[in-house]
Amino acid sequence: MSFFIRGSKGKTATKSSKRKKGIPAGKEGAGTKKKKKLSKLEQEEIPSDSDIESDDADDEGWASKGASEEEEDQETAQEKRLRLTKQYLAQLEREENETADSLTPDKDAIAHRLQSELLEQSGKLQKQVAADYIAPSGDDLQILRGHQLAITCLVISSDNKHIFSAGKDCAIIKWNAETGKKEHKIPGGRKGTEDTHVGHTAHILALAISSDDAFLVSGCRNKVIHVWDPHTCQRKHTFKGHRDAVSGLAFRKGTHQLFSASHDRSVKIWNLDEMAYVETLFGHQDAITAVDSLTRDRAITSGGRDNSVRIWKVLEESQLIFHGHSGSIDCVRLINEEHFISGSDDGSLAIWSVMKKKPLQTIQNAHPGPDATAEGAMHKENWISSVAALQGTDLLASGSKDGCIRFWQCSDGYRSVTPVFTLPLVGFINAMQFSSDGNFLVAGVGQEHRLGRWWRLKEAKNSVVIVRLKKSSKEK
C-alpha cells in the first residue's frame, strides 16, 4: 500500500498512487517493495539533494503585473530569470530605503539579507541571539483571560499584531498583541448543534494561520477543519475527511497549502486557494499529536505512542522516520529546515538533525522536580506538553505540566542545548509560540493537559500569557 493517497478536487481519494521512488534507510511500514538492510550505523546520514528545492512558481510573485503575456512568451528562460532577479533586487532596495535614514540603499545590508535568505532556504541559518536575552520578571508578563476552559492551541499573525487562541471551551478568541484587549470571539456551541452553530462544538486542538494572514484554520475533536477570515473572523469553508480528532494544523510557509494531522493516524494535504482536498499520507501507527512545516514541500509530525517523528517528503512520496523517546511524543517543532525539537511525556526533550536517525542530544527529565499534587505524586517526570523555536536562531523554549517555561540555547550547529533561564507559571503549558521578531513569547496555560484530563490543577487559571522578552543593556 502506498503512503500517499491522492484524490480529485474536493473528493476523497479511492485509489493509491504508485510509488516511483524508494524508501529511505530506516523507513518502516507498508508499501515497501524491498526491505533494506538495517546493519548500518544508528547515526547513518540520510542525504537528499532534492530537499533543497527552488520553486520556480514563486518567481511569478516577482513578475510585474503590467507585463503582457506576449512579452513573456517572447522571453527566453534566461531573460525571464534576469528580469525577475532585477525586480527582486529593486524590491529589496525599496524596502531598505524605507528603513534607512538616507535615500541611498545600503548594499551591504542587501547582500547580508540575500545571504540570510539563502541560509534559511538551505536550512543552515542560525543567528546567535539566546545569550542576549535576560530572564523575564513578573512585570514582563501580560495575562489575558477569556477562555472558560483550558487553552489548547494558539498562533500569532505574521505582523505580530494579533494572537488567536482556542481551547476546550470550543471558542476562538482574537487578541490585540500590544494592548492585550479582546477584539473578537467566535463562541463555542453545544454538542448536537453542529448543523446550526457557525463555530466548533467540541474541544479545539489545533490552530494555524497562513504566512500572508489570508486564512486562519482550526481543527477539533469533531473531525472537522474550519477555515476563517482572520480579519473579520467569518467562516469561509469547512473541510471534512478525517475519521478522528484533528490534532495538528500547519501551513507551508509562503503558500496556502495546509497540512492537517489527526488521531486517525493520517496526514492530509489541502489546497485553500481552491478549497480542495489534495492527498492523504499514511505511516504512523498511533494517534498523531502535532504537525509543523516551513518553506519546503514537506511536513514533520509526532506520532504519540508509536514513539516516532516522521518527515513527509511530498514531492518524493517518501518519509524519514526518527526514534529516540521512550514515551509518547506529544509535541514537535521545526527550528529550521534541517533541525527540529521534540518533547515527550517521559519528561525528555530532544534536538535532532534531519540527517541523523537518532537525536543529536536528549535531555532526560528536562523539567525536574517532584510533582506537588497528590494525584501526580507517582509521576516524577513532568511531561513536556509544548515546545517552541525562534526560527533560524539558537533560542528554544519548552513547557510542561509543572507550569514552568524553560528557555534553552543551542550550541553552534545545533549539536546540543543548554538551559538559559526559567519562567515559573501555574498550570499546564499547552501551547507556545515566539513572535517572528523575537520580542515576545505567547503561552497557552490551562488547568488540564490539551489532549486529556489526567490531572486538573485547580489553582491554575485558564489564560493566555504574553511574555515580553528583553535583551541585556549591552545588546541595546
Side-chain angles (χ1 to χ4, degrees):
M1 178 186 292
S2 171
F3 294 103
F4 292 72
I5 293 184
R6 295 183 177 178
S8 59
K9 177 181 177 181
K11 296 181 181 180
T12 305
T14 57
K15 296 182 180 180
S16 60
S17 60
K18 295 182 179 180
R19 186 171 308 282
K20 298 180 180 179
K21 300 186 179 181
I23 301 172
K27 183 172 180 178
E28 302 170 348
T32 56
K33 295 182 179 179
K34 296 180 180 180
K35 294 184 178 179
K36 294 191 175 182
K37 295 180 180 181
L38 300 179
S39 59
K40 297 182 180 181
L41 295 174
E42 289 295 332
Q43 294 295 325
E44 177 187 1
E45 292 192 353
I46 315 175
S48 178
D49 293 337
S50 60
D51 277 348
I52 303 177
E53 305 142 354
S54 59
D55 292 337
D56 291 339
D58 291 343
D59 292 346
E60 296 177 1
W62 298 351
S64 171
K65 294 183 179 179
S68 65
E69 295 181 0
E70 295 181 358
E71 292 176 346
E72 291 183 356
D73 291 340
Q74 294 173 358
E75 283 183 323
T76 65
Q78 183 176 1
E79 290 173 341
K80 182 178 180 180
R81 288 183 180 277
L82 180 60
R83 174 172 59 82
L84 296 177
T85 301
K86 289 180 179 179
Q87 291 177 359
Y88 181 57
L89 291 175
Q91 178 185 344
L92 291 184
E93 287 188 6
R94 287 195 299 270
E95 293 178 0
E96 291 297 330
N97 282 334
E98 291 176 359
T99 57
D101 294 333
S102 66
L103 295 178
T104 303
D106 188 346
K107 301 297 182 182
D108 292 336
I110 294 175
H112 178 73
R113 179 169 172 178
L114 288 172
Q115 184 179 13
S116 296
E117 289 182 0
L118 178 62
L119 289 172
E120 183 178 3
Q121 291 176 4
S122 64
K124 298 178 181 179
L125 181 64
Q126 184 184 12
K127 297 178 181 178
Q128 306 293 333
V129 301
D132 299 330
Y133 287 95
I134 59 176
S137 63
D139 295 335
D140 299 322
L141 305 182
Q142 189 173 10
I143 300 176
L144 315 180
R145 293 177 182 169
H147 287 281
Q148 301 302 313
L149 297 176
I151 286 84
T152 57
C153 50
L154 55 82
V155 290
I156 305 173
S157 61
S158 61
D159 58 9
N160 299 318
K161 293 182 178 180
H162 294 95
I163 300 165
F164 296 87
S165 62
K168 293 186 177 182
D169 58 1
C170 314
I172 301 173
I173 298 179
K174 179 181 180 180
W175 308 89
N176 186 301
E178 183 177 356
T179 64
K181 293 183 178 180
K182 185 191 306 180
E183 293 193 356
H184 199 283
K185 182 176 182 179
I186 304 172
R190 295 182 179 180
K191 185 178 181 180
T193 62
E194 293 83 2
D195 296 334
T196 58
H197 184 68
V198 71
H200 289 277
T201 58
H203 296 176
I204 302 174
L205 300 181
L207 284 174
I209 191 168
S210 59
S211 52
D212 61 355
D213 295 335
F215 299 104
L216 173 73
V217 291
S218 55
C220 70
R221 287 193 176 275
N222 270 355
K223 316 169 192 176
V224 300
I225 300 170
H226 287 319
V227 182
W228 310 89
D229 183 333
H231 306 289
T232 63
C233 293
Q234 299 299 308
R235 192 174 71 182
K236 305 178 72 171
H237 193 75
T238 297
F239 289 122
K240 296 181 180 180
H242 281 293
R243 298 182 178 181
D244 206 335
V246 179
S247 53
L249 294 166
F251 278 98
R252 181 186 173 195
K253 189 176 179 181
T255 74
H256 293 156
Q257 177 177 307
L258 175 68
F259 295 95
S260 63
S262 171
H263 288 180
D264 65 8
R265 300 178 292 178
S266 74
V267 178
K268 291 186 183 294
I269 303 177
W270 314 85
N271 183 340
L272 267 66
D273 286 324
E274 300 180 5
M275 294 299 174
Y277 160 80
V278 180
E279 59 184 319
T280 301
L281 320 179
F282 291 105
H284 276 293
Q285 304 302 309
D286 193 45
I288 302 176
T289 55
V291 64
D292 196 16
S293 180
L294 288 179
T295 305
R296 296 181 189 172
D297 194 3
R298 66 186 191 183
I300 187 170
T301 54
S302 53
R305 296 207 172 275
D306 73 1
N307 306 128
S308 74
V309 174
R310 299 180 185 235
I311 291 180
W312 306 85
K313 297 182 177 181
V314 178
L315 294 179
E316 297 182 15
E317 296 191 353
S318 63
Q319 59 181 280
L320 302 177
I321 301 180
F322 305 85
H323 291 282
H325 294 285
S326 60
S328 175
I329 305 175
D330 291 341
C331 48
V332 67
R333 188 65 60 93
L334 286 164
I335 304 172
N336 56 28
E337 297 287 5
E338 297 293 329
H339 301 87
F340 59 93
I341 184 175
S342 62
S344 170
D345 70 358
D346 63 5
S348 66
L349 189 73
I351 186 168
W352 309 71
S353 166
V354 299
M355 308 301 288
K356 306 290 184 181
K357 293 184 292 184
K358 293 295 182 180
L360 298 176
Q361 184 187 13
T362 301
I363 301 97
Q364 302 293 342
N365 199 19
H367 286 246
D371 196 314
T373 63
E375 294 176 301
M378 65 181 67
H379 302 276
K380 294 184 179 180
E381 299 91 356
N382 285 312
W383 295 8
I384 308 299
S385 49
S386 60
V387 291
L390 183 55
Q391 291 174 351
T393 75
D394 61 343
L395 181 62
L396 308 175
S398 61
S400 173
K401 73 182 185 70
D402 66 350
C404 287
I405 299 177
R406 292 185 179 272
F407 293 82
W408 306 83
Q409 180 180 8
C410 297
S411 66
D412 187 33
Y414 297 97
R415 295 180 180 87
S416 62
V417 294
T418 53
V420 182
F421 46 79
T422 300
L423 176 65
L425 297 173
V426 179
F428 289 82
I429 312 299
N430 287 326
M432 290 189 299
Q433 184 175 337
F434 284 100
S435 62
S436 59
D437 56 13
N439 288 334
F440 61 91
L441 171 78
V442 182
V445 182
Q447 293 180 332
E448 301 172 348
H449 191 282
R450 63 181 286 262
L451 296 176
R453 304 189 65 181
W454 299 282
W455 300 275
R456 187 171 185 271
L457 305 177
K458 296 181 180 180
E459 65 274 19
K461 302 294 183 182
N462 299 312
S463 58
V464 174
V465 180
I466 302 177
V467 183
R468 306 292 176 183
L469 300 177
K470 296 181 179 180
K471 295 186 178 181
S472 59
S473 57
K474 63 179 181 180
E475 172 65 17
K476 295 180 182 179

